[in-house]
Amino acid sequence: MTESAPIDPTSTDAWKQLAVLAEDFAPDLRGWFAADASRAERFTFQAADLTVDLSKGLVTDEILGHLLQLANDAKVSARYDAMISGEHINVTEDRAVLHTALRRPKDGAGLVPPKGFVVDGEDVDSEVHATLDKVYAFADKVRSGEWTGVTGKRISTVVNIGIGGSDLGPVMVYEALKPYVQAGLECRFVSNIDPSDIYEKTVDLDPETTLFIVASKTFGTLETLTNARLAREWLWRELAAAGSLADTDEARKDAVAKHFVAVSTALDKVAAFGIDPQNAFGFWDWVGGRYSVDSAIGTSVVIAIGPDNWRDFLAGFHAIDEHVRTTPLERNVPVLMGLLNVWYTNFLKAQSHAVLPYAQYLHRFPAYLQQLTMESNGKSVRWDGSPVVADTGEVFWGEPGTNGQHAFYQLIHQGTRLIPADFIAVANPAHPLKDDAGDGNAVKPGQDVHALFMANFFAQTKALAFGKTAEEVRAEGTTESVVPARVFSGNRPTTSILAPALTPSVVGQLIALYEHIVFTEGTIWGIDSFDQWGVELGKQLALQVAPAVDGAADALASQDSSTKALIAKYLELRG
């Protein structure tokens, strides 16, 4: 498949049929389930370890049939094949899109494309695994205590300095896999240029046992390099205060070499900072930041959980990649979920999408998905530069259950907006506990707390699907004037995703699942899901505004009246 003008989905017969169905669409999940005993079974699918129940979605066989035809019309399968084979489907940057290559097995047989495939003159598999081997070797040194700080003490805290994809992915995976972190090791993550961030992450650390990882492909990201310089000054200052650093350039250089490594390909800049280029781990232009957590960007997490667990993590990604490649569209879970999102967004006019993990260790997963989904598909032009022909993207948001139940579920249950929601849970918790006392009422002594937790998971999707009628409310003896407030309309769409446990493999599967959901939607909409020009303008203007904020009168005078007034007030408040 060579890159060409995107297909206009609105011109297809499938889109037109969906539009007709949407005009008079009156979902009736109660009726659908009552009339079809096999609905749950027919709309439940397996992808690796993930059981995915779409039966409580607002979809019928007829709707699904047209959505699948839309996927065929948009050539979703062909575009996926083009992506994994290294075609330059990121057209605005003229790059391949090969995050799937980051998790291809080292010695796997029968890979598609075959092992050793060359893209832009690079043997992709060899490059990836050479870098992985280097990361693994370094991680083993830190974990074993072979790598020490400048005073000979082993490392106990790893501080990852990055932003965007160099932060959101690693921190999410680290939090998700905390039960797998080696005892005596901790990771912290600095991203915000707000000086409070670097201060809070370092204030209680021992400089002799702290290792910083500076993650920036170009080693020029403003926030990351500013924080890296602040961390370097902190290291020198604290080591000197402890009497562990001589007041010489050579001593300071040696300290940086032992306490800083980089994830970057700009080796000259890495060396100029003081980091030994041998301790720099690279990645490639064909890896977008939000797709990079399974590259060397994850070095902090590899150190924390170890290479063997990281290999399982990568295997989880690859299992979903293969599911997408080999499974017919009608059973292809990420494709089906992406198509449902198109149905909700373009035909039922949903504007946001909730992700609700019933697993506390996944508490950063919704934030991670915000970048993955909205930076990828928040576009108003197609990949050929023409305007989009339909709404694109959704606002992704969420918090873990049951916390969210006591916060925003009111809007999902009884608000006027349609909010599709993905519920994610695991059957086996990392820390099974029992409430031996109970409360003498709803919670009996010896209650399995995870079972109680999961009861909420099951109950919420049931309530959202089937609601509560006025007759049911009245039957409970409710005062008539209160009945309307206690009615639940139901027909609120959910997807339930259930895994055996939150293992490294399952975390990889969940990430890849949403990567391919994003891919499916982007293909239908004809957009380039792999560039991110929308983040550039604000960064460029910040550099232009900075002199004004520093008090330069000519720079201040050149600002618009609102910005000028705001900066003037800021300068006044700073004194």
Side-chain angles (χ1 to χ4, degrees):
M1 175 184 179
T2 56
E3 201 62 26
S4 58
I7 293 165
D8 177 355
T10 66
S11 70
T12 65
D13 183 63
W15 188 284
K16 293 172 183 175
Q17 292 297 322
L18 289 165
V20 170
L21 290 171
E23 284 181 8
D24 301 315
F25 187 58
D28 180 15
L29 283 167
R30 284 195 179 208
W32 294 346
F33 273 90
D36 181 2
S38 68
R39 180 176 174 87
E41 180 182 358
R42 288 189 302 104
F43 284 95
T44 297
F45 304 89
Q46 197 72 26
D49 293 318
L50 306 179
T51 300
V52 180
D53 180 2
L54 306 179
S55 67
K56 296 187 181 81
L58 302 186
V59 63
T60 64
D61 291 310
E62 183 180 17
I63 291 167
L64 184 58
H66 291 307
L67 287 170
L68 289 168
Q69 185 56 52
L70 181 62
N72 281 316
D73 292 343
K75 298 182 169 55
V76 169
S77 296
R79 187 165 173 82
Y80 184 75
D81 291 342
M83 179 178 76
I84 65 173
S85 65
E87 291 193 29
H88 285 209
I89 68 168
N90 179 353
V91 294
T92 69
E93 297 179 295
D94 192 22
R95 292 175 180 172
V97 177
L98 280 174
H99 47 278
T100 54
L102 297 171
R103 52 264 195 157
R104 283 160 57 91
K106 187 172 188 177
D107 301 313
L111 286 178
V112 178
K115 282 196 67 63
F117 77 106
V118 175
V119 175
D120 300 334
E122 293 180 346
D123 181 334
V124 172
D125 290 317
S126 295
E127 293 274 349
V128 166
H129 286 286
T131 299
L132 276 175
D133 289 343
K134 186 178 178 181
V135 171
Y136 293 158
F138 177 72
D140 282 336
K141 288 180 181 179
V142 176
R143 290 167 61 83
S144 69
E146 179 183 347
W147 181 282
T148 65
V150 72
T151 63
K153 293 183 179 180
R154 69 182 297 155
I155 299 299
S156 60
T157 307
V158 177
V159 180
N160 186 87
I161 301 175
I163 198 165
S166 299
D167 169 76
L168 287 164
V171 70
M172 182 274 289
V173 175
Y174 174 75
E175 292 293 323
L177 296 178
K178 267 193 172 177
Y180 295 85
V181 174
Q182 178 175 289
L185 273 176
E186 177 195 8
C187 290
R188 298 186 182 186
F189 299 85
V190 176
S191 56
N192 203 331
I193 200 172
D194 182 337
S196 301
D197 196 14
I198 186 75
Y199 172 82
E200 290 292 342
K201 300 298 171 52
T202 58
V203 65
D204 60 342
L205 292 183
D206 179 353
E208 298 180 55
T209 61
T210 299
L211 174 72
F212 293 96
I213 300 175
V214 185
S216 172
K217 182 187 292 187
T218 63
F219 219 74
T221 307
L222 174 66
E223 296 91 341
T224 299
L225 268 294
T226 299
N227 280 326
R229 289 190 294 270
L230 292 172
R232 185 176 60 183
E233 291 294 333
W234 173 87
L235 178 73
W236 288 338
R237 182 177 65 250
E238 296 300 314
L239 285 174
S244 302
L245 183 70
D247 187 18
T248 67
D249 289 343
E250 188 62 30
R252 284 186 282 271
K253 179 179 179 182
D254 188 40
V256 172
K258 295 298 290 181
H259 291 269
F260 279 80
V261 299
V263 179
S264 179
T265 53
L267 297 184
D268 54 340
K269 295 179 182 179
V270 167
F273 184 88
I275 297 173
D276 185 344
Q278 292 298 312
N279 298 323
F281 311 100
F283 54 115
W284 305 270
D285 283 344
W286 39 258
V287 182
R290 58 195 176 277
Y291 296 93
S292 67
V293 66
D294 46 340
S295 73
I297 287 294
T299 296
S300 57
V301 188
V302 182
I303 294 170
I305 69 173
D308 286 344
N309 285 320
W310 189 260
R311 291 184 184 97
D312 287 343
F313 177 62
L314 298 182
F317 279 93
H318 185 65
I320 297 298
D321 295 342
E322 285 296 282
H323 171 85
V324 175
R325 186 182 68 83
T326 62
T327 307
L329 296 185
E330 61 268 21
R331 299 195 310 275
N332 197 309
V333 173
V335 171
L336 291 172
M337 291 180 69
L339 291 172
L340 276 181
N341 289 355
V342 169
W343 168 242
Y344 297 141
T345 299
N346 295 117
F347 298 95
L348 303 188
K349 304 307 177 185
Q351 294 183 334
S352 78
H353 195 114
V355 178
L356 310 170
Y358 278 65
Q360 183 61 29
Y361 284 122
L362 285 175
H363 69 104
R364 291 294 293 168
F365 194 51
Y368 172 77
L369 291 183
Q370 286 176 341
Q371 186 197 27
L372 175 64
T373 59
M374 293 193 282
E375 193 167 89
S376 294
N377 285 346
K379 310 290 171 62
S380 56
V381 296
R382 301 193 293 170
W383 69 61
D384 65 348
S386 62
V388 296
V389 295
D391 288 336
T392 65
E394 310 109 296
V395 176
F396 269 72
W397 58 283
E399 286 286 336
T402 56
N403 296 24
Q405 294 175 199
H406 293 264
F408 51 76
Y409 277 37
Q410 171 67 43
L411 178 67
I412 301 177
H413 276 285
Q414 290 186 308
T416 59
R417 301 181 186 279
L418 179 69
I419 304 174
D422 298 345
F423 285 71
I424 305 170
V426 298
N428 297 287
H431 307 291
L433 297 172
K434 291 187 176 181
D435 183 350
D436 290 329
D439 63 6
N441 187 14
V443 180
K444 305 301 182 183
Q447 171 70 55
D448 179 336
V449 177
H450 188 68
L452 183 62
F453 182 45
M454 288 299 294
N456 282 271
F457 170 84
F458 298 122
Q460 288 295 328
T461 60
K462 181 175 182 177
L464 286 163
F466 305 122
K468 198 172 192 178
T469 66
E471 290 74 18
E472 289 168 334
V473 174
R474 290 189 185 98
E476 295 174 342
T478 304
T479 302
E480 186 62 30
S481 63
V482 182
V483 167
R486 297 185 63 179
V487 168
F488 291 75
S489 66
N491 295 314
R492 308 290 175 123
T494 64
T495 294
S496 297
I497 302 170
L498 185 61
L502 199 61
T503 62
S505 176
V506 163
V507 174
Q509 290 171 40
L510 286 170
I511 298 170
L513 174 72
Y514 281 89
E515 287 179 347
H516 297 313
I517 291 169
V518 167
F519 171 86
T520 300
E521 294 177 79
T523 301
I524 298 294
W525 291 324
I527 58 178
D528 184 344
S529 298
F530 306 102
D531 62 12
Q532 59 278 335
W533 297 108
V535 307
E536 296 299 322
L537 179 58
K539 293 195 297 186
Q540 294 169 1
L541 290 178
L543 295 175
Q544 298 172 21
V545 170
V549 179
D550 283 335
D554 56 342
L556 183 60
S558 68
Q559 305 302 319
D560 65 89
S561 59
S562 172
T563 305
K564 185 188 303 182
L566 286 168
I567 294 173
K569 186 63 178 178
Y570 161 79
L571 293 172
E572 175 191 333
L573 292 171
R574 281 299 295 266

